[in-house]
Amino acid sequence: MYDIFDQLLKERGLSAYKVAKATGITTATLSSWKKGVYQPKPDKLQKLADYFGVRLEYLMGNSPYRTVTDMENAVSREHKKGVKIPVLGEVAAGIPIEMVENIVDWEEITPELARTGEFFGVRVKGNSMSPRIAEGDTLIVRKQDTAETNDIVIVAVNGDSATCKRLIKRESGISLISFNPMYAPIEFTNEEIVNKPVTILGKVVENRQKY
């Protein structure tokens, strides 16, 4: 910590005498601290921090941020920094998402979103979900094995590649609905869900379209 004090003296072109005169802290105290043999009391440390215009935590060597503004800027940069997630091609049923190797791209999500779960992206193929979701769109998906009625989900059926559909839950089973009216709903009974199986891989939380 005394190294920081010594550095501040050199940066400002100051002597311990000038600092002592301005703060009321004796030169003996400052000199001893500069040599690393004595540490001033907290109230005197705060006086020194105020004099140099730095945070007390910085002066004591407990923080890299000199000023409150430096700290706020760093927090702001970290807040804006995106979290990268893989964008996958076709995902085979039964293969854990984290083990799929066919990564076709990367996307960034906000730290706030990333804290709500584990995410991956899926590149859309086909037109079954058009016009709302078009071929080539990238879907941001929260990995989860359950969902609610009207959620847009990524589902794997009977070992086939994953598909994107709107989920409708019924007492007897589920329906997977396409937005494109040319495609009929896909129905599964509760027994079929278990035996095929029908597996929800995740819930779509965002659609990113590129032009």
Side-chain angles (χ1 to χ4, degrees):
M1 149 171 59
Y2 53 86
D3 289 339
I4 296 175
F5 174 61
D6 193 33
Q7 179 184 348
L8 289 170
L9 288 178
K10 292 178 180 178
E11 287 181 359
R12 311 293 171 84
L14 296 171
S15 65
Y17 173 77
K18 288 184 178 180
V19 176
K21 188 174 180 180
T23 62
I25 303 172
T26 67
T27 54
T29 297
L30 295 176
S31 180
S32 296
W33 188 36
K34 183 179 177 181
K35 294 176 182 177
V37 296
Y38 175 78
Q39 178 176 320
K41 294 180 180 179
D43 60 326
K44 293 181 178 179
L45 285 172
Q46 186 62 62
K47 281 186 178 182
L48 289 172
D50 292 342
Y51 175 77
F52 285 112
V54 299
R55 298 172 62 239
L56 178 60
E57 292 82 357
Y58 174 79
L59 183 64
M60 295 179 67
N62 297 329
S63 172
Y65 308 119
R66 286 197 176 195
T67 66
V68 172
T69 299
D70 290 342
M71 182 174 64
E72 290 175 344
N73 289 340
V75 172
S76 178
R77 287 193 297 271
E78 185 64 27
H79 179 75
K80 295 177 181 177
K81 185 178 180 181
V83 177
K84 284 190 175 183
I85 61 170
V87 177
L88 311 175
E90 294 184 355
V91 181
I95 300 178
I97 291 297
E98 61 269 17
M99 295 181 63
V100 175
E101 296 182 354
N102 59 326
I103 297 174
V104 297
D105 201 354
W106 293 86
E107 289 283 343
E108 285 191 356
I109 60 176
T110 65
E112 292 86 354
L113 182 59
R115 284 193 288 268
T116 67
E118 184 179 350
F119 291 82
F120 62 95
V122 171
R123 184 67 51 77
V124 176
K125 294 183 179 181
N127 66 347
S128 68
M129 296 299 281
S130 65
R132 185 172 174 183
I133 299 174
E135 184 168 14
D137 289 355
T138 297
L139 304 178
I140 306 301
V141 184
R142 179 188 294 112
K143 185 179 178 182
Q144 56 188 69
D145 57 10
T146 61
E148 301 299 326
T149 289
N150 289 323
D151 283 347
I152 300 172
V153 294
I154 304 300
V155 182
V157 181
N158 196 28
D160 292 334
S161 298
T163 185
C164 176
K165 292 288 184 285
R166 181 167 66 91
L167 174 69
I168 300 294
K169 299 174 76 171
R170 313 182 192 281
E171 288 188 10
S172 59
I174 63 172
S175 297
L176 299 179
I177 309 297
S178 298
F179 289 144
N180 189 334
M182 293 180 61
Y183 292 80
I186 305 172
E187 310 281 350
F188 296 102
T189 65
N190 289 326
E191 183 178 358
E192 289 173 326
I193 291 171
V194 173
N195 293 334
K196 281 188 176 293
V198 180
T199 306
I200 294 175
L201 301 178
K203 174 184 174 180
V204 176
V205 299
E206 185 180 341
N207 180 22
R208 297 184 178 180
Q209 298 178 319
K210 298 180 179 179
Y211 301 97

